[in-house]
Amino acid sequence: MNDVMTPSQRADALEDKMMEDLENAIAVRSRLFLLAEADFAMPNGVKLQQEHPGAKMLMSDDPRLPKMPAKPTLIDFFKLRFAPPMHLLQSARHAKVAGMPEHIVLACLLHDIAVLGFIRSDHGYWGAQMVEPYVTEEVTWAIRAHQALRFYPDESFGYAYPDNYKAYFGEDYKPEPHIERAYKEAREHKWYGTARMICVHDLYSFDPDVHVELEEFTDIIGRNFRQPEEGLGFDSSPSAHMWRTLRQPTKYL
């Protein structure tokens, strides 16, 4: 007997477990989640309700996740939605100890929030879009540009190609053409140095024995991140929907 489940079987098993945890509510995984499992199925609300009589599709908070405040702040997302953020905290401290200005420390603190809270692929672009309404244009540009710059060394800044990348991707890995173009464009940009500083202070293998508290950066966040009065996700900004999605990631629609 084959004990290895197919992606669809794993999805069904997870669906059953979710139902047990949610008590009469049906949460579904997004299409992107299913694609990550090489599963081309789509959740069908009618079918799910037939399989679970009396249950309703989830359209509110997921009770399995920590409850978010009514007007969530960036710090709330760090604590309640982002994966353990020690990599970002150590990178920001590395920049702070090096005497970097506050906007670069903030950029280091935010540069990988898409990885921690949203998606790995093209995370520099996603992360920049998430924070664009709330930080300076320079910080947004630098977060976006680091997506390409990290693949290219620059000895004048003391940045070498990460050894981790050689192990992750192979010695012969070559970035895609759009990354090559973005790198060349960034090299000529007035804020190239800002983006390169994210790479310099990006700790590609953070120290598990070093603990940094988010509160170390509370004042820097307060001075450099424009927290909307309505709360992240409710201010009608172009990226508000991204924060709402993180707040309630399993809403049906």
Side-chain angles (χ1 to χ4, degrees):
M1 179 178 178
N2 184 5
D3 292 330
V4 179
M5 290 193 294
T6 66
S8 292
Q9 289 171 329
R10 289 199 302 272
D12 289 342
L14 183 55
E15 201 81 65
D16 291 340
K17 180 63 169 61
M18 291 169 74
M19 281 297 300
E20 293 176 8
D21 294 341
L22 286 169
E23 296 183 357
N24 216 37
I26 302 172
V28 298
R29 296 174 305 286
S30 68
R31 177 65 165 162
L32 192 59
F33 183 102
L34 295 169
L35 286 176
E37 294 290 333
D39 186 346
F40 284 82
M42 278 293 289
N44 183 306
V46 173
K47 181 174 180 292
L48 287 168
Q49 285 191 309
Q50 289 173 346
E51 294 172 350
H52 305 284
K56 302 297 183 185
M57 309 308 295
L58 186 66
M59 288 295 285
S60 58
D61 293 340
D62 190 325
R64 299 167 301 171
L65 296 174
K67 179 76 171 178
M68 292 286 285
K71 298 180 179 181
T73 66
L74 176 64
I75 290 176
D76 291 324
F77 276 93
F78 260 93
K79 292 182 175 181
L80 302 175
R81 285 298 181 269
F82 294 163
M86 197 50 58
H87 163 66
L88 292 182
L89 295 173
Q90 288 192 16
S91 293
R93 176 185 276 181
H94 197 267
K96 184 178 178 183
V97 171
M100 292 292 104
E102 286 192 353
H103 72 283
I104 291 181
V105 175
L106 181 72
C108 291
L109 182 67
L110 298 177
H111 76 278
D112 276 354
I113 61 170
V115 173
L116 272 64
F118 214 74
I119 191 172
R120 301 192 71 89
S121 179
D122 276 339
H123 70 276
Y125 299 96
W126 285 107
Q129 186 179 1
M130 288 175 67
V131 302
E132 189 166 11
Y134 316 111
V135 299
T136 65
E137 184 181 355
E138 181 177 358
V139 169
T140 299
W141 186 90
I143 291 173
R144 183 180 296 112
H146 102 276
Q147 170 81 26
L149 294 185
R150 62 208 170 99
F151 291 109
Y152 300 91
D154 187 336
E155 294 182 1
S156 68
F157 280 86
Y159 178 75
Y161 187 78
D163 288 335
N164 279 17
Y165 283 10
K166 298 175 185 176
Y168 290 162
F169 313 128
E171 294 280 352
D172 60 347
Y173 174 74
K174 182 177 174 59
E176 296 160 283
H178 72 277
I179 294 292
E180 176 80 18
R181 289 195 303 271
Y183 163 67
K184 290 178 179 178
E185 292 170 359
R187 287 285 313 206
E188 304 301 320
H189 199 280
K190 62 181 178 180
W191 291 324
Y192 169 72
T194 303
R196 183 55 81 180
M197 281 296 101
I198 293 179
C199 301
V200 168
H201 298 289
D202 193 354
L203 302 182
Y204 293 87
S205 182
F206 72 92
D207 189 339
D209 296 322
V210 173
H211 186 79
V212 183
E213 293 289 346
L214 179 60
E215 283 68 25
E216 183 175 325
F217 306 101
T218 300
D219 290 344
I220 289 177
I221 292 172
R223 288 189 290 268
N224 297 275
F225 188 89
R226 295 186 290 271
Q227 170 66 36
E229 182 179 349
E230 305 91 333
L232 284 171
F234 303 103
D235 57 321
S236 300
S237 80
S239 64
H241 62 286
M242 301 175 74
W243 297 93
R244 290 197 302 270
T245 298
L246 287 177
R247 182 171 177 265
Q248 296 178 324
T250 52
K251 276 183 65 176
Y252 190 65
L253 293 175

